[in-house]
């Protein structure tokens, strides 16, 4: 494998900013830029607010930097204010600051209701073109977010807390099928083992296809480096499993494309409807539909 050229941070930051602000028309024209063979391995880290995701991602970054060029994108739904704590307050930024092969960026989630940043799929493509070997994506779990993030990453880590048993019950089986790795974080707090047992119980009754990946349940704590290492090794195992069968990769690529196409159409529909005057909504529904469809056809006419 050839070594990629040195990371041009300025060009990358600019490309990401431009994509973050791209119009729906520009998005319609953007397509994946590199083939799947050169795409970065994408690791999603999702879970409830305050579950310790950023801290975990920071420690994980230290661990995985040895694998090559590493990007960290953190979707911050709340506000740009917390930018300073992007990798959590327990990671010594000094440990990471010197690395030329690490790039960290916080993204606002703005328009989307599914907890992902605007134009995130396209931004992930940009990471591919800048020669990243891995990209870690942190996103807050807000119900829908897990579903949206699932398709965007190759390995999805769901971060849970001790004593959040009710949450697990509420999530039911859907999420159990989606996560590749369960992490009960802050395992230095009481209740972690019980939580792990609860997840195991739910996982045991979840239907799995033959040969499907059995999502491991790990306990992690920022004060226990071994637990972070074990998580990193489990990510490697999942990556190997995922790559072993071309059909798995193809399925994921199709899911990714499906999400992207649907979102693109939704954005265009929203724009076409927003552009209409108040009077427009007094005309018959069929005419409304015809007008919006017409606007869509114009938008996509080459
Ligand atoms: N006890 C304990 N606290 C932790 C651990 N990891 C993180 N924390 C604390 O949990 C709080 C939240 O940590 P973050 O890493 O910012 O959590 P987050 O999930 O990224 O938070 P949001 O991005 O705001 O959703 C901080 O006060 C951390 O110090 C851990 O392993 N054990
Ligand atoms: Mg965070």
């Amino acid at each position: 494998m050839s070594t990629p050229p040195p990371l041009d941070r300025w060009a990358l930051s600019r490309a990401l900013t431009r994509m973050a602000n791209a119009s729906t028309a520009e998005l319609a024209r953007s397509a994946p830029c590199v083939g799947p063979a050169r795409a970065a391995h994408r690791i999603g880290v999702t879970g409830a607010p305050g579950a310790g995701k950023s801290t975990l991602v920071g420690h994980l970054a230290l661990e995985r930097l040895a694998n090559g060029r590493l990007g960290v994108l953190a979707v911050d739904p709340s506000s740009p204010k917390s930018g300073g704590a992007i990798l959590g307050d327990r990671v010594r930024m000094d440990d990471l600051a010197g690395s030329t092969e690490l790039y960290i960026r916080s993204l606002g989630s703005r328009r989307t209701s599914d907890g992902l940043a605007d134009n995130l799929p396209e931004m992930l493509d940009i990471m591919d073109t800048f020669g990243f070997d891995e990209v870690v994506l942190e996103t807050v779990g807000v119900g829908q977010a897990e579903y949206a993030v699932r398709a965007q990453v190759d390995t999805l880590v769901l971060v849970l807390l001790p004593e959040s048993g009710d949450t697990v019950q509420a999530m039911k089986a859907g999420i159990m099928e989606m996560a590749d790795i369960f992490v009960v974080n802050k395992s230095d707090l009481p209740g972690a083992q019980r939580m792990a047992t609860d997840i195991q119980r739910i996982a045991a009754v979840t239907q799995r296809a033959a040969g499907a990946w059995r999502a491991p349940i790990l306990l992690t704590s920022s004060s226990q480096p071994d637990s972070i290492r074990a998580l990193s090794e489990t990510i490697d195992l999942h990556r190997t499993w995922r790559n072993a069968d071309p059909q798995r990769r193809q399925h994921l690529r199709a899911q990714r494309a499906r999400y992207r196409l649907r979102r693109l159409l939704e954005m265009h529909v929203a724009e076409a409807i927003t552009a209409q005057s108040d009077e427009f909504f007094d005309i018959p529904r069929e005419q409304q539909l015809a007008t919006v469809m017409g606007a869509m056809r114009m938008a996509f006419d080459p």
Side-chain angles (χ1 to χ4, degrees):
M1 231 169 67
S2 60
T3 9
L7 180 58
D8 186 343
R9 291 165 182 279
W10 187 78
L12 172 57
S13 298
R14 232 171 54 118
L16 288 175
T17 302
R18 193 182 306 144
M19 190 52 88
N21 297 315
S23 67
T24 40
E26 286 167 310
L27 281 184
R29 286 192 297 272
S30 81
C33 337
V34 303
R38 281 198 40 222
H41 180 233
R42 300 171 179 181
I43 303 163
V45 177
T46 190
K53 299 177 296 297
S54 298
T55 311
L56 192 62
V57 165
H59 286 287
L60 206 54
L62 281 175
E63 192 68 37
R64 298 195 71 78
L65 207 45
N67 295 355
R69 188 167 292 175
L70 179 71
V72 176
L73 299 182
V75 181
D76 184 352
S78 43
S79 74
K81 276 184 250 133
S82 62
I86 179 167
L87 287 187
D89 49 17
R90 296 200 175 193
V91 178
R92 295 197 357 255
M93 287 301 281
D94 301 354
D95 289 342
L96 294 167
S99 172
T100 54
E101 292 297 284
L102 177 72
Y103 179 86
I104 303 166
R105 167 106 176 208
S106 163
L107 314 168
S109 67
R110 295 186 292 182
R111 274 202 301 258
T112 55
S113 58
D114 55 20
L116 293 189
D118 286 356
N119 312 347
L120 179 74
E122 290 76 13
M123 293 166 96
L124 286 166
D125 284 349
I126 290 176
M127 301 302 278
D128 288 344
T129 62
F130 278 78
F132 282 88
D133 297 290
E134 282 194 337
V135 173
V136 182
L137 175 69
E138 177 193 336
T139 175
V140 170
V142 286
Q144 279 306 100
E146 286 92 355
Y147 295 90
V149 75
R150 169 66 278 182
Q152 301 310 317
V153 297
D154 301 302
T155 300
L156 182 62
V157 179
L158 178 63
V159 182
L160 299 158
L161 285 175
E163 316 277 13
S164 52
D166 292 348
T167 325
V168 175
Q169 296 299 335
M171 291 187 303
K172 302 220 186 65
I175 190 75
M176 308 301 290
E177 286 150 23
M178 238 164 356
D180 299 309
I181 301 171
F182 293 100
V183 157
V184 181
N185 196 29
K186 305 194 189 184
S187 62
D188 48 291
L189 302 178
Q193 191 53 57
R194 228 201 89 205
M195 178 67 181
T197 313
D198 281 354
I199 303 170
Q200 211 148 26
R201 200 175 305 129
I202 298 172
V205 297
T206 304
Q207 297 277 350
R208 289 185 313 121
W213 170 259
R214 189 187 287 266
I217 304 157
L218 305 177
L219 301 184
T220 55
S221 166
S222 61
S223 56
Q224 288 153 14
D226 284 354
S227 70
I228 314 282
R229 209 162 302 130
L231 171 59
S232 183
E233 285 165 9
T234 308
I235 291 171
D236 287 337
L237 283 178
H238 183 257
R239 181 181 188 164
T240 306
W241 176 85
R242 169 88 66 212
N243 290 339
D245 183 347
Q247 269 194 334
R248 281 176 206 140
R249 288 198 64 86
Q250 194 199 11
H251 178 61
L252 199 60
R253 274 204 307 280
Q255 271 186 301
R256 218 164 266 178
R258 195 173 283 133
Y259 172 84
R260 210 159 160 156
L261 187 60
R262 201 187 61 211
R263 195 189 43 123
L264 189 63
L265 284 168
E266 283 167 357
M267 285 162 79
H268 274 276
V269 169
E271 274 181 13
I273 293 176
T274 308
Q276 303 304 328
S277 66
D278 290 353
E279 293 79 40
F280 172 81
F281 297 96
D282 294 330
I283 67 175
R285 174 64 57 80
E286 290 77 13
Q287 280 180 38
Q288 293 178 12
L289 281 170
T291 307
V292 171
M293 303 283 264
M296 301 279 290
R297 213 167 290 127
M298 297 260 285
F300 291 111
D301 217 4

